[in-house]
Amino acid sequence: MAGIYIHIPFCKQACYYCNFYFSTSLKKKDELLDCLIKEIDLRKSELNNDTIETIYFGGGTPSILSTQEINRLIDAVYSNFNVVENPEITLEANPDDLSEEKIIELSKSKINRLSIGVQSFFEHDLKLMNRAHNADEAIKSLQLATQYFSNISVDLIYGIPDCTNEQWRTNIQTALSFGVPHISSYALTVEPETALASFIKKGVIKNVDDDKAEEQFVILTEELNKADFIHYELSNFGKEGFFSKNNSAYWLGKSYLGIGPAAHSFNGKQRSWNVQNNAIYIKKINQKELPIQRETLSVTDSYNEYVMTGLRTIWGVSLLKIERDFGENYSKYLQLQSKKFIKQELLYIENDVLKTTKKGKFLSDGLASDLFMLNLA
């Protein structure tokens, strides 16, 4: 089983914190959509006849497309790949795009999962991040979407300057009030060369507070645990049966094909990524060339990636898999490096699987980097 990710590199406006590749100009939209379909055809043999179980529209802002345009892309996937009978097909959507007419159209398409980028239900937070929607649109989009879709994920951001713990609890409870079965939540991160980084440097916006972010992460896990959500990945919480199949495939090392500018792909042994430039992408695809770079992962690269993804999830890092796939030296190294974190009650071993404790969850990426192998080829 494999997945297909389709990157839609267009947004109405730039969020201050975002470092993903996108354009706010729609001049090349039609031409680029034609090229996405051409790329799907050019790469139809790359997954070695694996059956497709997930299709994911990310961005950018995929909901900026019309339902007809989305359907064209889905049809292109079905024309070139074997697709399971009931695939998970997700559309990332911004609240301001989700009119009732649009939601009804989407509900009649093959899209069966919406990931709605609410981020916050407070006007101040949305303005600070330069989101395209307002708080009323966030509420209205969920009121409408829940009438037509049962599989909905809501994105929320914590650690926003001046967002109090009480307001953060309100954000969580507001999302839960709509009965959504999945929440993805991320700490506000200051990425280099973003507007947010510039504003913080100039003193226009307060810097993020890591301690406050950790506090709000703890609040998040506690509130969602009370609501019977399973914390199956560092930033993802789902009701039973509503885990993101697309994202779970990434963390479990399954193959996926990334279509569009800046999209990444993985086939188990090789990672590749498309050029981050719409004009170059269009030119190359029209010449029937793939604007792509590829990297073959070494044993050490694969080990490090497995440790990183495994520690972020409820599935953890299997010591038996480490020894089987990477060898005894890697297994011994991992267990030796883990000892100090086990002693600090940040990690624990259960049934030969290394996992983060409740205390260690927020630190999982940092813990993983300390377990990386650096000196073996």
Side-chain angles (χ1 to χ4, degrees):
M1 296 289 188
I4 290 182
Y5 171 87
I6 301 175
H7 187 74
I8 306 301
F10 299 109
C11 290
K12 290 178 182 175
Q13 65 188 51
C15 299
Y16 290 155
Y17 57 86
C18 183
N19 70 338
F20 293 154
Y21 176 70
F22 65 91
S23 170
T24 53
S25 170
L26 300 181
K27 287 180 182 177
K28 296 182 182 294
K29 179 171 69 72
D30 291 345
E31 199 173 355
L32 190 131
L33 291 177
D34 289 340
C35 286
L36 292 177
I37 291 170
K38 290 175 184 177
E39 187 189 357
I40 289 169
D41 179 67
L42 286 170
R43 302 183 69 185
K44 60 188 174 186
S45 63
E46 280 195 33
L47 292 174
N48 298 317
N49 295 318
D50 273 2
T51 302
I52 302 303
E53 63 178 342
T54 63
I55 302 170
Y56 192 97
F57 289 89
T61 309
S63 56
I64 212 167
L65 300 183
S66 69
T67 306
Q68 184 180 8
E69 289 168 334
I70 292 165
N71 286 337
R72 278 187 67 208
L73 294 167
I74 294 173
D75 289 344
V77 172
Y78 272 78
S79 297
N80 288 280
F81 294 92
N82 295 318
V83 182
V84 296
E85 188 175 345
N86 294 304
E88 176 189 270
I89 306 182
T90 302
L91 179 78
E92 288 185 354
N94 277 1
D96 49 300
D97 293 325
L98 294 177
S99 65
E100 185 167 16
E101 181 184 6
K102 180 72 168 279
I103 290 171
I104 291 171
E105 286 178 356
L106 289 171
S107 72
K108 293 176 181 177
S109 74
K110 286 188 170 71
I111 297 290
N112 52 30
R113 183 173 185 270
L114 294 180
S115 177
I116 304 178
V118 169
Q119 316 309 357
S120 175
F121 293 98
F122 287 94
E123 204 66 46
H124 172 268
D125 296 343
L126 298 173
K127 287 179 179 177
L128 182 145
M129 295 184 287
N130 199 41
R131 294 291 293 167
H133 68 279
N134 60 41
D136 287 341
E137 287 170 326
I139 295 287
K140 189 176 179 182
S141 70
L142 286 168
Q143 288 172 336
L144 291 170
T146 50
Q147 294 177 42
Y148 298 94
F149 285 86
S150 59
N151 196 352
I152 294 175
S153 179
V154 170
D155 280 3
L156 295 174
I157 290 180
Y158 58 89
I160 300 170
D162 294 328
C163 177
T164 67
N165 288 350
E166 195 53 46
Q167 288 172 327
W168 175 233
R169 280 194 176 86
T170 300
N171 270 331
I172 298 165
Q173 291 305 322
T174 303
L176 291 175
S177 71
F178 292 100
V180 296
H182 192 279
I183 289 176
S184 295
S185 191
Y186 309 88
L188 182 65
T189 304
V190 185
E191 301 289 352
E193 299 180 17
T194 59
L196 179 61
S198 175
F199 289 144
I200 287 173
K201 188 176 180 180
K202 293 173 183 176
V204 177
I205 293 176
K206 289 182 184 178
N207 202 352
V208 298
D209 183 332
D210 291 340
D211 290 336
K212 185 172 92 169
E214 186 169 1
E215 280 179 25
Q216 294 186 352
F217 176 79
V218 171
I219 291 168
L220 174 72
T221 58
E222 290 174 348
E223 293 298 313
L224 293 184
N225 182 58
K226 288 179 199 171
D228 296 324
F229 279 68
I230 299 166
H231 191 187
Y232 70 101
E233 193 272 342
L234 178 64
S235 303
N236 287 270
F237 304 76
K239 295 269 190 166
E240 191 74 54
F242 286 94
F243 295 1
S244 167
K245 292 180 182 177
N246 174 80
N247 292 352
S248 296
Y250 295 157
W251 305 315
L252 294 172
K254 293 185 180 182
S255 296
Y256 56 89
L257 191 66
I259 301 296
H264 285 235
S265 304
F266 178 66
N267 64 8
K269 295 180 180 178
Q270 200 175 56
R271 192 166 295 290
S272 60
W273 54 95
N274 285 346
V275 65
Q276 294 192 35
N277 183 293
N278 286 355
I280 294 174
Y281 172 82
I282 290 168
K283 181 181 177 183
K284 291 289 186 182
I285 293 294
N286 281 331
Q287 293 171 346
K288 296 187 177 181
E289 295 177 27
L290 292 175
I292 198 166
Q293 288 182 270
R294 301 182 191 273
E295 170 191 37
T296 300
L297 300 181
S298 67
V299 174
T300 299
D301 291 335
S302 297
Y303 161 85
N304 290 343
E305 189 157 302
Y306 174 57
V307 170
M308 171 67 82
T309 55
L311 280 189
R312 289 178 64 98
T313 72
I314 57 170
W315 302 292
V317 177
S318 166
L319 301 178
L320 298 177
K321 177 179 170 64
I322 292 287
E323 185 158 354
R324 184 188 71 231
D325 292 357
F326 306 109
E328 188 178 355
N329 285 341
Y330 285 88
S331 178
K332 286 181 178 178
Y333 177 82
L334 176 61
Q335 292 179 67
L336 182 65
Q337 291 295 106
S338 301
K339 281 184 178 179
K340 61 182 176 181
F341 300 119
I342 293 172
K343 194 172 182 180
Q344 294 168 15
E345 298 183 343
L346 299 173
L347 297 175
Y348 70 103
I349 295 174
E350 180 181 65
N351 298 325
D352 287 320
V353 176
L354 182 69
K355 299 180 179 181
T356 56
T357 63
K358 185 177 178 181
K359 188 166 73 169
K361 246 184 220 324
F362 184 73
L363 306 172
S364 62
D365 286 349
L367 293 171
S369 66
D370 282 334
L371 302 178
F372 285 172
M373 179 72 79
L374 303 174
N375 59 351
L376 287 184

